[in-house]
């Protein structure tokens, strides 16, 4: 169908200029043919990459990545293939403080604001490019006052529609008895108003490919926003785990220092009385110094972690937060979802971002091809001019023009061909980067699964070590009360117990961190956000 704007232009032209020189049927046929030509778009049509054929994240046939992770005395975790990943996956740690902190970070962290702005910018750029599908209409009005030199003669406007004449004057020359200058200048007002319509038909789809590329860039920014949410949530939860681990380690080290100080006090007294050697005192002094040496780094780490949490929450380091974390305030998720490799490619924001960039690169090939074939344009102008404003659109003042143009580059030193080749290589690069992103994502999940299993066994061993150290300490304490062992032996058993607790805290933190890493590696469940919000809003 002929665009409405051209129908309006043609109506105006025939109404203003009922002349046989304007063949309305010819113009209409030309524009219809041009519109039909816009049905094609050169360049490759994008198709989504084929999902990988991998069915597991390990070459072994054992089902250890899907079977329950039994960790002996430690809490067990079960990996469930195909389970839905919650968009609020951090709630699996059952910490109200953590939930509040993540929500606050989403609202206040500037990286989210930057990602949202980037997405809006990409969408506006797409909308701007879509405007080239339509004609450009411009209106102008230019009043002027001009003094035309008498020497320019015939360049004056001449007879106006009201019968007046604007022209330079040729008087009688002095040689023939005249007294005035031979040529007299003329001063006049001039009003000109025009309506210009320009249209570049998208004959070979260059603009459609540009819009396609920009739409892909918008999708890329949308996935980058989801990646920003996922990364921010993962960083917040990881920082909370780090704080909890550090706090518990500080308490354990302080208990160890207290125990070492008591042991040193006993040894020094025994040395004074001649019941201990100086080498024993020195050994205990070394143990105390080593315990004291380990405390400042932990205190520094705690303060720096708190600084990190404040910044993640969008506040400055001088503003404290009410949320504080210990290992007891965080619960290890009992069940962890595990997506199949074929599902992973449609979940992870980085893979989808790489796919969007691949789509954009494919469209740019079409843009480069379209630049090498004929370019079409149509321009029309309606308007009028006169020496009086009210007379611009009298029949004598009306003007119009209609121009079509076809341009084809015949020689450019190979520039356009090289740009097409560059676009094709850009597509090859995007394809390689997509494959690399997919492989890295699979490795990320595989590494996390290995860590989950290994750290579960480490946790179980740490639990057994703590149990053995606690039993040894309790038995030593009973023997001390009965007088069978010295107080120094009791303090040594207590120190061994505290050292075992330090290892256990670190093992617990590692397992919590592995859970966070798996949720992040699987994409974080952002695609379920809308469904979960609808479920929460449904009447109970």
């Amino acid at each position: 169908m002929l665009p409405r704007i051209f129908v309006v232009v043609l109506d105006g032209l025939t109404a203003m200029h009922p002349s046989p020189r304007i063949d309305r049927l010819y113009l209409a046929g030309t524009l219809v043919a041009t519109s039909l030509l816009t049905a094609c778009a050169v360049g490759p049509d994008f198709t989504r990459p084929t999902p990988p054929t991998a069915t597991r994240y390990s070459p072994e046939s054992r089902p250890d990545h899907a079977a329950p992770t039994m960790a002996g005395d430690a809490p067990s975790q079960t990996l469930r293939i195909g389970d839905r990943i919650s968009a609020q996956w951090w709630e699996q740690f059952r910490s109200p403080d953590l939930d509040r902190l993540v929500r606050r970070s989403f609202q206040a962290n500037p990286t989210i604001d930057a990602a949202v702005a980037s997405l809006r910018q990409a969408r506006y750029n797409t909308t701007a490019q879509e405007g080239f599908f339509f004609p450009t209409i411009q209106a102008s009005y230019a009043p002027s006052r001009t003094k035309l030199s008498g020497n320019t003669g015939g360049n004056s406007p001449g007879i106006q529609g009201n019968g007046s004449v604007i022209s330079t004057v040729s008087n009688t020359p002095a040689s023939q008895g005249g007294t005035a200058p031979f040529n007299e200048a003329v001063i006049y007002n001039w009003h000109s108003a025009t309506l210009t319509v320009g249209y570049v038909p998208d004959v070979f789809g260059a603009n459609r490919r540009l819009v396609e590329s920009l739409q892909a860039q918008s999708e890329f920014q949308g996935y980058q926003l989801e990646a920003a949410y996922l990364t921010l949530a993962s960083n917040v939860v990881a920082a909370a785990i780090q704080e909890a681990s550090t706090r518990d380690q500080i308490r354990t080290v302080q208990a160890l220092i207290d125990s070492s100080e008591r042991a040193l006090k006993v040894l020094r007294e025994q040395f004074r009385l001649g019941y201990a050697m100086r080498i024993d005192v020195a050994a205990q002094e070394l143990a105390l110094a080593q315990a004291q040496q380990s405390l400042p780094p932990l205190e520094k780490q705690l303060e720096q972690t708190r600084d990190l949490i404040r910044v993640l929450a969008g506040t400055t380091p001088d503003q404290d937060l009410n949320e504080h974390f210990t290992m007891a305030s965080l619960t290890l998720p009992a069940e962890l979802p595990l997506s199949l490799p074929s599902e992973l490619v449609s979940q992870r924001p980085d893979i989808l971002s790489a796919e969007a960039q691949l789509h954009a690169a494919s469209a740019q090939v079409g843009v480069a091809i379209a630049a090498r074939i004929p370019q079409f344009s149509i321009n029309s102008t309606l308007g009028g001019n006169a020496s009086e404003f009210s007379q611009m659109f009298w029949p004598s003042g009306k003007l119009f023009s209609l121009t079509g143009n076809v341009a084809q580059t015949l020689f450019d030193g190979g520039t356009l061909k090289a740009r097409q080749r560059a676009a094709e290589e850009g597509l090859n690069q995007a394809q390689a980067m997509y494959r690399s992103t997919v492989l890295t994502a699979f490795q990320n999940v595989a590494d996390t699964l290995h860590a989950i299993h290994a750290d579960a066994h480490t946790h179980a061993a740490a639990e057994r070590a703590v149990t053995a150290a606690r039993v040894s300490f309790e038995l030593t304490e009973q023997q001390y009360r009965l007088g069978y062992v010295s107080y120094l032996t009791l303090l040594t058993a207590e120190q061994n117990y505290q050292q075992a607790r330090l290892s256990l805290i670190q093992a617990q933190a590692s397992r919590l961190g592995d859970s966070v890493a798996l949720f992040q590696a699987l994409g974080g469940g952002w695609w379920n956000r809308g469904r979960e919000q609808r479920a929460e809003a449904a009447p109970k």
Side-chain angles (χ1 to χ4, degrees):
M1 181 178 292
L2 190 64
R4 176 64 181 167
I5 184 63
F6 292 127
V7 176
V8 173
V9 172
L10 291 172
D11 288 343
L13 289 174
T14 54
M16 293 171 57
H17 303 276
S19 168
R21 289 177 298 174
I22 301 178
D23 189 342
R24 176 183 173 88
L25 181 60
Y26 171 76
L27 292 174
T30 301
L31 295 175
V32 169
T34 302
S35 299
L36 292 176
L37 282 173
T38 61
C40 66
V42 295
D45 292 327
F46 178 73
T47 56
R48 294 194 64 184
T50 304
T53 57
T55 59
R56 56 179 182 264
Y57 298 99
S58 174
E60 292 84 0
S61 59
R62 66 175 188 271
D64 57 351
H65 291 325
T69 303
M70 303 306 295
D73 297 332
S76 63
Q77 283 183 305
T78 301
L79 294 168
R80 297 191 178 277
I81 292 181
D83 268 17
R84 183 176 65 86
I85 304 173
S86 173
Q88 285 78 39
W89 53 267
W90 52 87
E91 294 178 352
Q92 301 290 324
F93 296 90
R94 299 181 184 178
S95 171
D97 283 349
L98 183 59
D99 298 344
R100 286 193 300 270
L101 188 60
V102 172
R103 288 195 296 269
R104 179 184 303 176
S105 300
F106 283 172
Q107 295 171 357
N109 191 282
T111 58
I112 300 299
D113 295 335
V116 170
S118 295
L119 175 58
R120 290 174 178 168
Q121 180 185 33
R123 287 176 175 173
Y124 282 129
N125 286 335
T126 303
T127 301
Q129 190 64 41
E130 288 173 342
F132 287 100
F133 286 125
F134 301 93
T136 300
I137 303 175
Q138 294 180 325
S140 66
Y141 168 61
S144 64
R145 181 169 178 81
T146 304
K147 180 178 181 179
L148 187 63
S149 167
N151 293 332
T152 59
N155 292 330
S156 54
I159 301 175
Q160 300 299 294
N162 60 1
S164 63
V165 178
I166 301 175
S167 178
T168 56
V169 177
S170 298
N171 295 315
T172 302
S175 61
Q176 299 178 11
T179 57
F182 183 74
N183 295 330
E184 287 189 14
V186 63
I187 299 175
Y188 63 95
N189 297 327
W190 195 251
H191 301 269
S192 180
T194 58
L195 179 68
T196 303
V197 180
Y199 182 58
V200 179
D202 195 21
V203 178
F204 298 107
N207 194 57
R208 265 172 294 167
R209 291 304 189 193
L210 277 171
V211 170
E212 181 183 352
S213 178
L214 289 171
Q215 287 174 338
Q217 290 296 329
S218 295
E219 293 176 359
F220 169 79
Q221 293 298 338
Y223 296 131
Q224 289 295 98
L225 176 59
E226 295 299 342
Y229 276 117
L230 176 58
T231 301
L232 179 58
S234 300
N235 288 341
V236 169
V237 179
I241 294 171
Q242 182 65 54
E243 178 188 343
S245 172
T246 306
R247 284 188 185 279
D248 282 24
Q249 289 184 67
I250 287 175
R251 284 199 294 266
T252 303
V253 169
Q254 287 174 336
L256 184 61
I257 291 173
D258 292 341
S259 176
S260 297
E261 288 177 341
R262 293 195 303 272
L264 180 59
K265 183 179 180 180
V266 171
L267 274 174
R268 282 175 175 171
E269 181 63 19
Q270 290 179 344
F271 174 72
R272 188 184 68 83
L273 297 175
Y275 295 108
M277 300 176 63
R278 182 65 182 89
I279 192 173
D280 297 327
V281 176
Q284 187 56 39
E285 289 174 340
L286 175 61
L288 174 60
Q290 290 174 337
Q292 292 172 332
Q293 184 181 9
S294 65
L295 185 58
L298 290 173
E299 293 174 336
K300 179 184 72 172
Q301 186 178 40
L302 176 60
E303 293 303 324
Q304 290 179 340
T305 302
R306 291 295 296 174
D307 291 340
L308 172 62
I309 291 175
R310 294 184 190 103
V311 171
L312 291 174
T315 65
T316 54
D318 62 325
Q319 299 177 351
D320 202 3
L321 301 173
N322 294 326
E323 293 81 10
H324 295 83
F325 301 96
T326 63
M327 296 301 293
S329 67
L330 301 172
T331 301
L332 183 70
E335 295 183 350
L336 293 174
L338 180 60
S339 303
L340 292 172
S342 58
E343 298 172 335
L344 193 67
V345 296
S346 61
Q347 296 178 178
R348 281 184 54 130
D350 57 341
I351 296 179
L352 294 172
S353 294
E355 181 181 319
Q357 289 181 313
L358 176 60
H359 190 175
S362 173
Q364 285 297 325
V365 174
V367 174
I369 294 174
R372 300 184 64 189
I373 50 186
Q375 309 296 305
F376 296 82
S377 64
I378 302 172
N379 293 279
S380 65
T381 302
L382 298 172
N385 51 35
S387 60
E388 300 289 337
F389 181 85
S390 59
Q391 298 172 13
M392 281 190 296
F393 297 105
W394 286 15
S396 60
K398 294 179 181 178
L399 59 89
F400 89 92
S401 68
L402 180 63
T403 305
N405 183 68
V406 180
Q408 171 64 53
T409 301
L410 300 179
F411 178 76
D412 62 354
T415 299
L416 295 179
K417 181 178 180 180
R419 287 178 178 172
Q420 178 184 340
R421 296 292 183 266
E424 291 169 348
E425 292 305 322
L427 177 59
N428 293 336
Q429 179 190 26
Q431 291 172 337
M433 292 302 297
Y434 176 82
R435 294 195 301 271
S436 176
T437 302
V438 172
L439 291 175
T440 301
F442 286 3
Q443 178 191 0
N444 189 198
V445 176
D447 289 348
T448 304
L449 292 173
H450 291 312
I452 286 174
H453 286 273
D455 290 342
H457 293 299
T458 301
H459 187 184
E463 288 279 5
R464 290 193 294 270
V466 168
T467 300
R470 182 175 60 250
V471 171
S472 175
F473 172 59
E474 291 173 349
L475 293 175
T476 303
E477 188 176 30
Q478 293 176 5
Q479 290 178 336
Y480 172 74
R481 290 174 182 173
L482 296 174
Y484 294 117
V485 297
S486 66
Y487 184 59
L488 184 58
T489 302
L490 175 62
L491 292 178
T492 300
E494 182 181 1
Q495 292 171 9
N496 292 335
Y497 173 61
Q498 299 298 345
Q499 289 285 3
R501 280 186 49 79
L502 276 176
S503 298
L504 176 61
I505 293 169
Q506 294 168 354
Q508 291 171 333
S510 295
R511 293 195 70 190
L512 289 169
D514 293 340
S515 300
V516 176
L518 182 61
F519 281 118
Q520 185 176 14
L522 296 177
W526 58 271
W527 56 93
N528 290 318
R529 186 182 301 119
R531 179 167 55 182
E532 293 177 0
Q533 290 174 345
R534 289 192 297 271
E536 292 177 358
K540 304 300 182 181

